[in-house]
Each structure stands twice: as structure tokens, then as C-alpha cells.
Amino acid sequence: MITLHDYNLSAEGYAVRLFLALLGQDYSLVPVEYYPAREHEGEAFRALNPLASLPVLVEGDLVLTEVAGILTYLAARHGGADWYPAGDAAQWGRIGDGLALAARLAASAGAVRLADGMMLPLDGAAARAEAKRLLRVIDERLWFGEMAGDDWLCPGPRPSIADIACFPHIVLAEEGDIPLIDYPAIRRWLDRVRRLPGFVVMPGVFGA
């Protein structure tokens, strides 16, 4: 049985919950109150994850503490050929780029959202500027992809874990005062993700 330690407002945690739902994979959820209780900084949680970050996925003896690793593992272990293109080195290179892009979004759009909502210190202007730069790059990538008949961040007929990793930070960007009105290809992509079978919501994220 998979166990997920998570905070319900975490964008990274939502990426994992969303992917588990898309896979139809059962799991046990252990809520961890990030704010205001900061349970992730307690001794009990640090015994599980010394980095004190969320989410954490446990399956058997395996403990994973980074979203990119969690999504990659779930794709390989539980996703089948639809989500794990085994032997396709080029596609995994593209997916790796997409996962790194999600990390950049987390450090910009995601950081602004957390700072605004939880009163954390941050240079908000710099983070917003970086988020908008990333969104422009993503919007152009998606627009050119649409012109070539590709609907997803990585070329192909199906979404990848890169889409799942990036989706929460983008769909929640407006909570950090980063409007999405100027990114039409992104907004169309958000709608496509929302229409995936098994899609689940979180506070601030609605279905199609």
C-alpha cells in the first residue's frame, strides 16, 4: 500500500494526488499540517524526511521525498506503457526537462503563492517576474505544439508526468497575483488537463 504524507494546500502534493487519481491507484493519506502548525518541522516527521519537505511517498521500504522522483517512480511502477515510455531516451530527456521546469515554477509562482498565503519572506517582485518569464516560454511551446498537432508539454499523443508536475503551479498562479489572461495556449492546456479521466480537484482548483 502506498502512503502519502501531505498537506492539502501543497501544490507539489496535489501533483502527486492528481497523478495517483489519474492512475486509479489506491493510497493512504497521512495529513501533515504545514501551516500554521508546521508539523513538517517536528522531530517525528524529520525522522521520516530530514529535509522537512512535503510531500513524502512511502511504499514498502521505499521513501521518496522529491516530487520529480515520486512521479517518475509512480509512472514506472504503476503507470504502464501509457505513462512510462520505456526505452524512449529522447522522450525521457524531454520529460526530465519538463520536471526541471516544474521545479523552476515551484521556486517562482509557487513561492509567491506560499509567501502571500502564509506570510513567508520573499522578494515577490523578482519571483513574479521569473514566473511570468517561464509562463511566456511555456505558452509559446504549447502554441507551437498545437500548430504541430501536439497538445502536451512533451510531443506525443498523451500527457506525461511533466504536465502533471507543472499543472498545479500554473493553475494556482493567480493566487500569487500572476494573471493567466495573457497566456491563451496555457489556458487551453489547463482545460485539457482538467478533462483527463480521473481528474481530481483541490482547494482553488476546479474541474472542467
Side-chain angles (χ1 to χ4, degrees):
M1 170 64 76
I2 293 172
T3 300
L4 181 65
H5 300 256
D6 191 20
Y7 176 55
N8 71 328
L9 297 181
S10 164
E12 289 89 348
Y14 173 52
V16 176
R17 299 193 305 272
L18 173 58
F19 192 41
L20 287 165
L22 296 177
L23 294 175
Q25 183 67 44
D26 292 333
Y27 66 99
S28 175
L29 179 65
V30 179
V32 180
E33 188 173 332
Y34 184 92
Y35 179 84
R38 305 194 71 80
E39 290 180 345
H40 62 295
E41 295 179 347
E43 184 177 346
F45 187 80
R46 284 183 182 273
L48 178 67
N49 178 13
L51 295 174
S53 61
L54 292 166
V56 175
L57 183 139
V58 180
E59 186 168 26
D61 294 330
L62 179 68
V63 179
L64 296 173
T65 62
E66 298 294 336
V67 174
I70 293 171
L71 295 178
T72 302
Y73 168 73
L74 290 173
R77 177 73 173 84
H78 300 285
D82 284 345
W83 290 99
Y84 189 75
D88 190 341
Q91 187 69 347
W92 273 108
R94 297 184 193 103
I95 290 171
D97 274 358
L99 294 175
L101 188 58
R104 290 176 180 266
L105 288 166
S108 54
V112 170
R113 172 178 169 264
L114 288 178
D116 285 358
M118 301 177 187
M119 296 172 290
L120 302 176
L122 181 74
D123 183 345
R128 285 187 180 88
E130 174 64 4
K132 291 176 181 178
R133 184 182 73 86
L134 294 170
L135 291 173
R136 177 58 59 200
V137 169
I138 294 169
D139 192 70
E140 291 179 358
R141 178 185 299 184
L142 288 167
W143 188 87
F144 282 112
E146 288 175 343
M147 296 303 100
D150 289 316
D151 286 337
W152 308 105
L153 288 175
C154 300
R158 289 186 48 79
S160 72
I161 55 174
D163 296 279
I164 306 308
C166 290
F167 177 80
H169 298 296
I170 296 176
V171 77
L172 293 166
E174 292 185 338
E175 292 189 358
D177 195 26
I178 302 171
L180 297 178
I181 189 66
D182 293 330
Y183 310 105
I186 281 179
R187 289 187 282 112
R188 291 191 295 270
W189 168 77
L190 291 174
D191 287 340
R192 290 193 289 272
V193 175
R194 287 187 178 101
R195 291 195 296 269
L196 291 173
F199 181 84
V200 293
V201 300
M202 70 163 280
V205 179
F206 306 97

